[in-house]
Amino acid sequence: MARRYAGDVRWGWTCPRCNAETTVTRDPSSETFRWECDREDCETLGFGFRSRRAARIGLREFAEEYRDVYR
């Protein structure tokens, strides 16, 4: 099975809604990964990913869908 391209997964991830920096972290309570907007007034997040890479792919896919909806 071919792996989906994740882009450069080291840095440069931004929130699809407000373009602020977005952090990918491990959730110790569920042992999964999540991404979350760093701005306090933005509640955008994604959770339940098996790996940091999967979380970043999920963030990228969410951003693409968000852009398609609000064109």
Side-chain angles (χ1 to χ4, degrees):
M1 172 184 244
R3 291 174 55 141
R4 289 182 288 176
Y5 177 66
D8 186 347
V9 296
R10 294 172 290 182
W11 57 76
W13 296 91
T14 58
C15 175
R17 290 189 176 171
C18 69
N19 290 322
E21 290 292 315
T22 302
T23 304
V24 175
T25 58
R26 184 177 192 86
D27 183 353
S29 63
S30 66
E31 297 187 5
T32 60
F33 288 86
R34 60 187 284 148
W35 58 265
E36 185 171 11
C37 181
D38 292 343
R39 281 182 45 181
E40 293 198 19
D41 62 338
C42 182
E43 298 178 351
T44 305
L45 63 93
F47 57 91
F49 298 97
R50 293 182 181 176
S51 68
R52 188 175 306 275
R53 181 179 185 278
R56 290 180 172 147
I57 290 172
L59 174 57
R60 186 190 67 210
E61 290 175 352
F62 180 85
E64 290 170 358
E65 289 295 320
Y66 187 80
R67 277 191 295 270
D68 287 344
V69 170
Y70 293 99
R71 273 191 196 179

XYZ file of all heavy atoms in Angstrom:
597
model
N 0.837 -1.170 0.000
C 0.000 0.000 0.000
C 0.889 1.243 0.000
O 1.791 1.373 0.810
C -0.908 -0.009 1.228
C -1.676 1.272 1.412
S -2.631 1.244 2.928
C -4.231 1.330 2.234
N 0.644 2.170 -0.903
C 1.423 3.395 -1.000
C 1.022 4.367 0.104
O -0.154 4.523 0.416
C 1.216 4.033 -2.364
N 2.023 5.011 0.678
C 1.748 6.000 1.719
C 1.411 7.336 1.080
O 2.014 7.720 0.079
C 2.964 6.164 2.619
C 3.207 4.931 3.447
C 4.482 5.030 4.213
N 4.531 6.225 5.036
C 5.044 6.265 6.243
N 5.548 5.176 6.769
N 5.079 7.370 6.924
N 0.452 8.040 1.664
C 0.089 9.362 1.160
C 1.211 10.343 1.458
O 1.839 10.287 2.495
C -1.197 9.858 1.813
C -2.395 9.100 1.329
C -3.627 9.641 1.957
N -3.623 9.220 3.372
C -4.517 9.583 4.249
N -5.485 10.383 3.918
N -4.457 9.142 5.487
N 1.440 11.261 0.526
C 2.468 12.283 0.707
C 2.022 13.242 1.799
O 0.910 13.762 1.777
C 2.693 13.038 -0.601
C 3.686 14.150 -0.472
C 5.027 13.878 -0.195
C 3.294 15.466 -0.610
C 5.945 14.896 -0.072
C 4.213 16.493 -0.495
C 5.530 16.204 -0.231
O 6.428 17.221 -0.109
N 2.878 13.486 2.767
C 2.541 14.354 3.899
C 3.147 15.737 3.778
O 2.917 16.583 4.614
C 3.012 13.715 5.193
N 3.928 15.978 2.737
C 4.614 17.261 2.650
C 5.772 17.277 3.634
O 6.209 16.245 4.121
N 6.258 18.448 3.930
C 7.319 18.590 4.909
C 6.664 18.572 6.286
O 6.031 19.542 6.690
C 8.080 19.895 4.682
C 9.292 20.007 5.582
O 9.417 19.216 6.541
O 10.113 20.889 5.331
N 6.779 17.483 7.016
C 6.054 17.326 8.274
C 6.821 17.871 9.480
O 6.400 17.680 10.602
C 5.667 15.845 8.526
C 4.715 15.352 7.488
C 6.878 14.964 8.613
N 7.902 18.571 9.258
C 8.688 19.050 10.389
C 8.189 20.371 10.952
O 8.265 20.612 12.141
C 10.146 19.187 9.987
C 10.760 17.836 9.679
C 12.111 17.994 9.115
N 11.976 18.561 7.773
C 12.969 18.802 6.952
N 14.198 18.558 7.334
N 12.758 19.297 5.767
N 7.698 21.272 10.124
C 7.261 22.584 10.606
C 6.379 23.252 9.567
O 6.172 22.725 8.476
C 8.453 23.478 10.897
C 9.346 23.658 9.733
C 9.131 24.444 8.631
C 10.592 23.021 9.504
N 10.155 24.328 7.748
C 11.078 23.467 8.256
C 11.341 22.124 10.229
C 12.285 23.036 7.735
C 12.546 21.706 9.691
C 12.997 22.159 8.473
N 5.846 24.408 9.918
C 5.102 25.204 8.963
C 3.627 24.886 8.881
O 2.991 25.194 7.888
N 3.042 24.306 9.907
C 1.631 23.960 9.874
C 0.815 25.106 10.443
O 1.120 25.642 11.498
C 1.401 22.672 10.645
C 2.115 21.561 9.963
C 3.383 21.143 10.213
C 1.645 20.795 8.871
N 3.729 20.132 9.357
C 2.673 19.902 8.509
C 0.465 20.770 8.150
C 2.550 18.996 7.470
C 0.344 19.854 7.124
C 1.368 18.989 6.796
N -0.235 25.487 9.717
C -1.062 26.608 10.146
C -2.524 26.197 10.216
O -2.963 25.287 9.528
C -0.927 27.813 9.193
O -1.303 27.401 7.888
C 0.484 28.354 9.185
N -3.262 26.923 11.035
C -4.690 26.677 11.206
C -5.431 27.038 9.918
O -5.213 28.112 9.360
C -5.207 27.523 12.366
S -6.991 27.409 12.589
N -6.316 26.176 9.442
C -7.061 26.465 8.222
C -8.035 27.636 8.380
O -8.376 28.284 7.412
C -7.840 25.187 7.939
C -7.371 24.178 8.901
C -6.565 24.844 9.946
N -8.460 27.914 9.579
C -9.439 28.979 9.796
C -8.813 30.345 10.012
O -9.337 31.344 9.546
C -10.336 28.633 10.982
C -11.248 27.491 10.671
C -12.254 27.296 11.750
N -13.184 26.241 11.359
C -14.068 25.725 12.156
N -14.188 26.167 13.387
N -14.871 24.769 11.722
N -7.711 30.418 10.766
C -7.169 31.736 11.110
C -5.707 31.927 10.702
O -5.141 32.984 10.929
C -7.330 31.993 12.606
S -6.270 30.950 13.640
N -5.067 30.915 10.141
C -3.670 30.949 9.684
C -2.642 31.134 10.796
O -1.510 31.498 10.534
C -3.467 32.017 8.604
C -4.143 31.627 7.327
O -4.155 30.464 6.942
N -4.746 32.591 6.666
N -3.017 30.872 12.035
C -2.058 30.915 13.146
C -1.263 29.604 13.170
O -1.638 28.621 12.526
C -2.791 31.101 14.467
N -0.186 29.591 13.912
C 0.593 28.373 14.078
C -0.286 27.281 14.698
O -1.140 27.558 15.533
C 1.792 28.625 14.978
C 2.855 29.483 14.354
C 3.556 28.780 13.199
O 3.911 27.596 13.341
O 3.736 29.424 12.161
N -0.051 26.053 14.277
C -0.814 24.918 14.782
C 0.162 23.888 15.330
O 1.143 23.553 14.682
C -1.662 24.302 13.655
O -2.519 25.314 13.149
C -2.490 23.153 14.144
N -0.121 23.388 16.511
C 0.753 22.441 17.178
C 0.190 21.029 17.077
O -1.010 20.825 17.238
C 0.882 22.819 18.668
O 1.338 24.164 18.762
C 1.856 21.906 19.380
N 1.075 20.071 16.797
C 0.699 18.651 16.820
C 1.347 18.053 18.056
O 2.557 18.145 18.243
C 1.166 17.922 15.546
C 0.875 16.433 15.639
C 0.507 18.515 14.314
N 0.525 17.457 18.924
C 1.024 16.896 20.179
C 0.432 15.515 20.433
O -0.570 15.139 19.828
C 0.661 17.799 21.374
O -0.745 17.961 21.420
C 1.330 19.149 21.277
N 1.045 14.814 21.366
C 0.536 13.512 21.798
C -0.416 13.739 22.970
O -0.103 14.461 23.892
C 1.686 12.605 22.229
C 1.245 11.220 22.593
C 2.471 10.365 22.927
N 2.101 8.991 23.007
C 2.041 8.137 21.979
N 2.358 8.554 20.785
N 1.674 6.896 22.142
N -1.581 13.118 22.904
C -2.565 13.212 23.982
C -2.299 12.059 24.953
O -2.546 10.901 24.620
C -3.965 13.118 23.397
C -5.058 13.280 24.429
O -4.747 13.329 25.642
O -6.235 13.344 24.036
N -1.790 12.345 26.148
C -1.418 11.263 27.068
C -2.602 10.441 27.568
O -2.442 9.275 27.900
C -0.728 11.990 28.232
C -1.149 13.403 28.124
C -1.516 13.668 26.690
N -3.794 11.015 27.593
C -4.946 10.265 28.101
C -5.427 9.194 27.123
O -5.926 8.161 27.530
C -6.093 11.212 28.452
O -6.539 11.883 27.295
N -5.262 9.442 25.819
C -5.725 8.464 24.828
C -4.583 7.817 24.050
O -4.810 6.901 23.269
C -6.669 9.137 23.835
O -5.964 10.097 23.068
N -3.354 8.326 24.251
C -2.169 7.843 23.536
C -2.318 7.973 22.026
O -1.806 7.163 21.256
C -1.818 6.422 23.947
C -1.445 6.323 25.412
C -0.943 4.956 25.795
O -0.787 4.085 24.922
O -0.701 4.754 26.994
N -3.051 8.999 21.589
C -3.155 9.328 20.176
C -2.576 10.730 19.989
O -2.178 11.389 20.940
C -4.617 9.301 19.695
O -5.371 10.271 20.445
C -5.234 7.923 19.846
N -2.541 11.185 18.737
C -2.019 12.516 18.439
C -3.164 13.445 18.060
O -4.211 12.998 17.598
C -0.996 12.455 17.307
C 0.292 11.828 17.733
C 0.451 10.459 17.693
C 1.331 12.611 18.197
C 1.632 9.876 18.100
C 2.519 12.034 18.607
C 2.671 10.667 18.556
N -2.937 14.747 18.267
C -3.936 15.750 17.941
C -3.242 16.987 17.402
O -2.076 17.215 17.699
C -4.750 16.113 19.181
C -3.922 16.670 20.305
C -4.677 16.888 21.581
N -5.497 18.074 21.497
C -6.664 18.217 22.113
N -7.133 17.253 22.875
N -7.351 19.311 21.986
N -3.956 17.748 16.596
C -3.461 19.060 16.197
C -4.442 20.094 16.736
O -5.622 19.827 16.885
C -3.280 19.184 14.685
C -4.493 18.953 13.844
C -4.850 17.783 13.245
C -5.505 19.908 13.492
N -6.020 17.955 12.558
C -6.447 19.256 12.684
C -5.695 21.254 13.779
C -7.559 19.891 12.167
C -6.811 21.891 13.256
C -7.719 21.204 12.453
N -3.898 21.255 17.094
C -4.711 22.276 17.738
C -4.159 23.661 17.411
O -2.952 23.876 17.462
C -4.679 22.039 19.239
C -5.555 22.927 20.038
C -5.616 22.475 21.488
O -4.830 21.602 21.907
O -6.463 23.010 22.204
N -5.057 24.585 17.078
C -4.658 25.963 16.812
C -4.090 26.574 18.090
O -4.617 26.357 19.176
C -5.859 26.769 16.326
S -5.428 28.487 15.957
N -3.018 27.340 17.958
C -2.359 27.928 19.124
C -3.022 29.221 19.615
O -2.726 29.667 20.720
C -0.884 28.201 18.816
C -0.087 26.918 18.635
O -0.578 25.852 19.049
O 1.014 26.983 18.072
N -3.906 29.807 18.825
C -4.582 31.035 19.272
C -5.672 30.692 20.268
O -6.421 29.738 20.090
C -5.211 31.760 18.086
C -4.212 32.537 17.284
C -4.820 33.285 16.150
N -6.045 34.003 16.496
C -6.751 34.704 15.623
N -6.374 34.773 14.369
N -7.848 35.319 16.000
N -5.774 31.486 21.316
C -6.769 31.215 22.352
C -8.195 31.475 21.893
O -9.129 30.867 22.416
C -6.449 32.031 23.597
C -5.166 31.559 24.252
C -5.053 32.015 25.677
O -6.071 32.375 26.289
O -3.925 31.996 26.181
N -8.391 32.359 20.919
C -9.743 32.679 20.461
C -10.204 31.796 19.304
O -11.289 31.990 18.764
C -9.847 34.159 20.082
C -8.921 34.535 18.942
O -7.922 33.820 18.713
O -9.184 35.557 18.282
N -9.410 30.810 18.920
C -9.763 29.873 17.843
C -9.828 28.469 18.443
O -8.879 28.016 19.082
C -8.737 29.927 16.718
S -9.139 28.858 15.331
N -10.910 27.781 18.221
C -11.102 26.457 18.823
C -10.938 25.307 17.835
O -11.429 24.210 18.069
C -12.486 26.402 19.456
C -12.656 27.412 20.568
C -14.042 27.397 21.172
O -14.933 26.718 20.629
O -14.226 28.062 22.191
N -10.236 25.534 16.740
C -10.056 24.514 15.720
C -9.082 23.436 16.207
O -8.011 23.746 16.700
C -9.521 25.152 14.430
O -10.397 26.205 14.051
C -9.449 24.136 13.309
N -9.488 22.163 16.054
C -8.611 21.064 16.438
C -9.021 19.785 15.734
O -10.110 19.671 15.192
C -8.608 20.851 17.953
C -9.933 20.444 18.611
C -10.023 18.936 18.707
C -10.009 21.057 19.987
N -8.114 18.847 15.722
C -8.370 17.509 15.208
C -7.741 16.518 16.177
O -6.689 16.784 16.736
N -8.355 15.377 16.387
C -7.834 14.447 17.384
C -8.080 13.006 16.984
O -8.844 12.725 16.069
C -8.451 14.730 18.764
C -9.958 14.672 18.771
C -10.615 13.495 19.048
C -10.704 15.806 18.481
C -12.005 13.439 19.046
C -12.081 15.768 18.474
C -12.733 14.586 18.759
N -7.400 12.086 17.688
C -7.587 10.657 17.475
C -6.697 10.057 16.409
O -6.971 8.962 15.916
N -5.603 10.702 16.072
C -4.704 10.197 15.033
C -3.695 9.229 15.626
O -3.224 9.418 16.744
C -3.973 11.367 14.357
C -4.899 12.322 13.666
C -5.307 13.489 14.292
C -5.385 12.046 12.405
C -6.165 14.375 13.665
C -6.249 12.912 11.774
C -6.646 14.078 12.403
N -3.346 8.201 14.869
C -2.432 7.168 15.359
C -0.984 7.612 15.407
O -0.181 7.030 16.120
C -2.522 5.926 14.477
C -3.834 5.238 14.589
C -3.839 4.001 13.741
N -5.136 3.343 13.838
C -5.469 2.297 13.163
N -4.611 1.765 12.322
N -6.659 1.762 13.309
N -0.632 8.620 14.614
C 0.755 9.083 14.586
C 0.785 10.578 14.323
O -0.198 11.175 13.890
C 1.544 8.363 13.479
O 1.062 8.775 12.208
N 1.951 11.183 14.575
C 2.142 12.606 14.296
C 1.969 12.866 12.795
O 1.372 13.845 12.384
C 3.539 13.019 14.770
C 3.807 14.500 14.721
C 5.174 14.817 15.334
N 5.335 14.297 16.669
C 4.940 14.923 17.773
N 4.366 16.083 17.701
N 5.134 14.383 18.953
N 2.484 11.958 11.983
C 2.357 12.093 10.520
C 0.893 12.061 10.110
O 0.447 12.869 9.297
C 3.133 10.961 9.837
C 3.088 11.016 8.334
C 3.921 9.859 7.748
N 3.993 9.957 6.313
C 3.045 9.535 5.485
N 1.951 8.974 5.974
N 3.173 9.670 4.182
N 0.127 11.122 10.660
C -1.301 11.029 10.327
C -2.044 12.298 10.759
O -2.941 12.774 10.052
C -1.922 9.814 10.983
N -1.658 12.871 11.896
C -2.290 14.112 12.353
C -2.008 15.243 11.378
O -2.892 16.049 11.066
C -1.793 14.468 13.748
N -0.793 15.325 10.876
C -0.445 16.388 9.927
C -1.125 16.190 8.579
O -1.539 17.143 7.942
C 1.066 16.481 9.807
C 1.646 17.028 11.097
C 3.124 17.149 11.053
N 3.570 17.859 12.242
C 4.712 17.643 12.850
N 5.524 16.740 12.371
N 5.035 18.324 13.914
N -1.266 14.934 8.155
C -2.024 14.672 6.929
C -3.479 15.068 7.141
O -4.097 15.689 6.277
C -1.896 13.198 6.500
C -0.475 12.923 6.012
C -2.919 12.851 5.423
C -0.189 11.456 5.753
N -4.035 14.738 8.305
C -5.406 15.130 8.623
C -5.580 16.633 8.631
O -6.586 17.161 8.139
N -4.607 17.357 9.165
C -4.655 18.821 9.168
C -4.632 19.359 7.746
O -5.414 20.246 7.397
C -3.479 19.370 9.973
C -3.288 20.882 9.955
C -4.524 21.610 10.445
C -2.074 21.252 10.789
N -3.767 18.800 6.915
C -3.695 19.249 5.522
C -5.008 18.976 4.795
O -5.527 19.828 4.073
C -2.541 18.558 4.791
C -2.359 19.127 3.375
C -1.403 18.332 2.540
N -2.006 17.032 2.284
C -1.336 15.910 2.111
N -0.044 15.897 2.185
N -1.960 14.783 1.876
N -5.585 17.796 4.997
C -6.843 17.455 4.338
C -7.992 18.336 4.838
O -8.842 18.761 4.058
C -7.156 15.979 4.532
C -6.219 15.092 3.745
C -6.416 13.615 4.011
O -7.187 13.257 4.934
O -5.788 12.809 3.296
N -8.004 18.639 6.132
C -9.023 19.534 6.669
C -8.888 20.920 6.040
O -9.883 21.539 5.660
C -8.894 19.637 8.193
C -9.907 20.551 8.817
C -11.163 20.075 9.143
C -9.613 21.878 9.072
C -12.108 20.914 9.720
C -10.540 22.720 9.652
C -11.798 22.234 9.976
N -7.656 21.397 5.911
C -7.420 22.711 5.300
C -7.906 22.742 3.854
O -8.529 23.713 3.419
C -5.933 23.065 5.374
N -7.649 21.667 3.103
C -8.104 21.608 1.709
C -9.622 21.620 1.637
O -10.210 22.329 0.815
C -7.539 20.368 1.026
C -6.045 20.452 0.785
C -5.439 19.134 0.336
O -6.176 18.119 0.237
O -4.213 19.108 0.107
N -10.287 20.851 2.484
C -11.755 20.824 2.508
C -12.319 22.176 2.934
O -13.299 22.649 2.371
C -12.255 19.726 3.458
C -12.023 18.335 2.946
C -12.813 18.019 1.696
O -13.991 18.420 1.608
O -12.252 17.380 0.799
N -11.703 22.792 3.921
C -12.165 24.084 4.424
C -12.076 25.133 3.329
O -12.997 25.917 3.130
C -11.337 24.489 5.642
C -11.853 25.722 6.332
C -12.927 25.645 7.207
C -11.264 26.965 6.120
C -13.405 26.769 7.847
C -11.736 28.093 6.762
C -12.803 27.984 7.620
O -13.274 29.098 8.250
N -10.971 25.135 2.571
C -10.810 26.084 1.467
C -11.844 25.840 0.375
O -12.374 26.781 -0.215
C -9.398 25.998 0.890
C -8.381 26.794 1.666
C -7.077 26.889 0.907
N -6.425 25.605 0.750
C -5.550 25.090 1.593
N -5.211 25.750 2.666
N -4.997 23.927 1.369
N -12.147 24.576 0.094
C -13.130 24.256 -0.939
C -14.531 24.707 -0.555
O -15.312 25.120 -1.407
C -13.141 22.747 -1.230
C -11.914 22.309 -1.989
O -11.197 23.168 -2.557
O -11.645 21.094 -2.009
N -14.858 24.644 0.710
C -16.192 25.028 1.187
C -16.365 26.545 1.145
O -17.417 27.054 0.794
C -16.440 24.497 2.614
C -17.698 25.093 3.220
C -16.547 22.972 2.585
N -15.305 27.273 1.500
C -15.408 28.728 1.632
C -14.725 29.474 0.503
O -14.097 30.499 0.712
C -14.844 29.160 2.994
C -15.689 28.658 4.110
C -15.359 27.518 4.824
C -16.880 29.299 4.433
C -16.158 27.036 5.839
C -17.686 28.827 5.440
C -17.324 27.710 6.149
O -18.132 27.243 7.139
N -14.873 29.026 -0.709
C -14.335 29.738 -1.868
C -15.235 30.847 -2.273
O -16.373 30.883 -2.209
C -14.184 28.793 -3.040
C -12.879 28.122 -2.997
C -12.635 27.407 -4.283
N -11.557 26.490 -3.999
C -11.074 25.673 -4.854
N -11.529 25.616 -6.059
N -10.104 24.895 -4.546
